[in-house]
Amino acid sequence: MSRWVSIIAAAAFAVAAPAFAQSPKPHSYNIGTQATPEQIAGWDIDVRPDGQGLPPGKGSVRDGEKVYLERCAACHGEFGESAGRWPQLAQGKGSLATHDPVKTVGSYFPYVASFFDYIRRAMPFGDAQSLSNDELYAVTAFILNLNDIVDDKFVLSKETWSQVKMPNEGGFYDDDRKTAEKAFWNPNPCMKDCRPPVKITGHASVIDVTPDDKSIRKGGVE
């Protein structure tokens, strides 16, 4: 190898060396551990309106009354009428369009899944997820009975889920603001100096709403 070829090769290696040194290397951050299927199943407990995701079990209205009186009535009242400021669970039919709407299971909720899932995740207050599956079905059935949606002999389960029709199921519709409120939206909203300067066009004394007597002005008006 000639002297010049050796110099060029050495220079090329010197230029390429930092690139090799900065090449990405696979590495692990060692943050946490991969969740197991059993752990994922513990979190994935949502229930859909068609009953998809329901746990095994069943519960009757009669059994649900016992659970409700022991675990729920202190806050929601013996008949779902509410105790104090806790949410009311029953009645309120026909009130949604009034000036004083009462949103309860019977008057407002569109699907059984809407409150079944909530009870499963968050109730009883302060002791969430302490109900067994059978207790969960039973107390849901009892609340439905409080709202006159099922009769006293009803047993809620995965098999009877579709038999329950909520009174306000048809009261919800897709968000239509893009069309219903289209006239309110300005495609080119003002972003700077949007308000004109304020100009004083009159004084209260001109329209005689301030006292003329200076002593009254000084001491206030009785």
Side-chain angles (χ1 to χ4, degrees):
M1 181 179 296
S2 69
R3 181 169 178 270
W4 286 108
V5 172
S6 298
I7 293 173
I8 294 173
F13 178 77
V15 172
F20 284 117
Q22 297 175 5
S23 61
K25 297 178 180 179
H27 56 270
S28 173
Y29 293 103
N30 297 319
I31 298 177
T33 58
Q34 185 172 0
T36 65
E38 291 76 16
Q39 290 172 329
I40 295 175
W43 285 97
D44 186 15
I45 61 172
D46 64 293
V47 176
R48 301 182 183 181
D50 62 359
Q52 184 175 341
L54 281 171
K58 63 180 180 181
S60 67
V61 171
R62 179 172 298 180
D63 291 339
E65 182 177 12
K66 298 176 183 176
V67 177
Y68 180 89
L69 292 176
E70 293 175 358
R71 310 294 302 277
C72 314
C75 295
H76 297 290
E78 293 185 6
F79 302 98
E81 75 278 16
S82 174
R85 301 179 63 182
W86 298 96
Q88 184 175 337
L89 300 181
Q91 308 311 318
K93 295 179 181 177
S95 67
L96 296 183
T98 69
H99 292 291
D100 188 20
V102 180
K103 295 182 178 180
T104 68
V105 169
S107 70
Y108 182 69
F109 282 73
Y111 305 109
V112 183
S114 302
F115 63 100
F116 181 92
D117 185 83
Y118 184 79
I119 296 171
R120 190 183 188 191
R121 292 177 186 276
M123 293 289 111
F125 181 73
D127 197 15
Q129 300 191 21
S130 63
L131 298 177
S132 68
N133 287 342
D134 286 348
E135 290 174 328
L136 173 62
Y137 276 107
V139 77
T140 302
F142 179 68
I143 294 172
L144 289 170
N145 179 259
L146 284 178
N147 285 277
D148 301 323
I149 298 173
V150 300
D151 61 33
D152 296 343
K153 298 180 180 179
F154 184 73
V155 178
L156 183 63
S157 67
K158 190 174 184 178
E159 289 70 30
T160 62
W161 184 266
S162 61
Q163 297 177 16
V164 181
K165 299 299 181 185
M166 301 299 289
N168 196 40
E169 181 175 340
F172 289 78
Y173 51 86
D174 294 335
D175 187 349
D176 64 347
R177 283 176 291 181
K178 288 186 178 180
T179 55
E181 300 181 3
K182 186 178 180 179
F184 298 104
W185 302 111
N186 182 355
N188 300 306
C190 177
M191 302 299 289
K192 183 179 180 183
D193 300 330
C194 302
R195 301 188 64 177
V198 176
K199 297 181 179 179
I200 298 175
T201 59
H203 296 272
S205 58
V206 175
I207 56 177
D208 196 25
V209 295
T210 54
D212 294 330
D213 191 329
K214 294 183 180 179
S215 61
I216 296 178
R217 291 184 185 181
K218 185 176 180 180
V221 178
E222 296 182 355

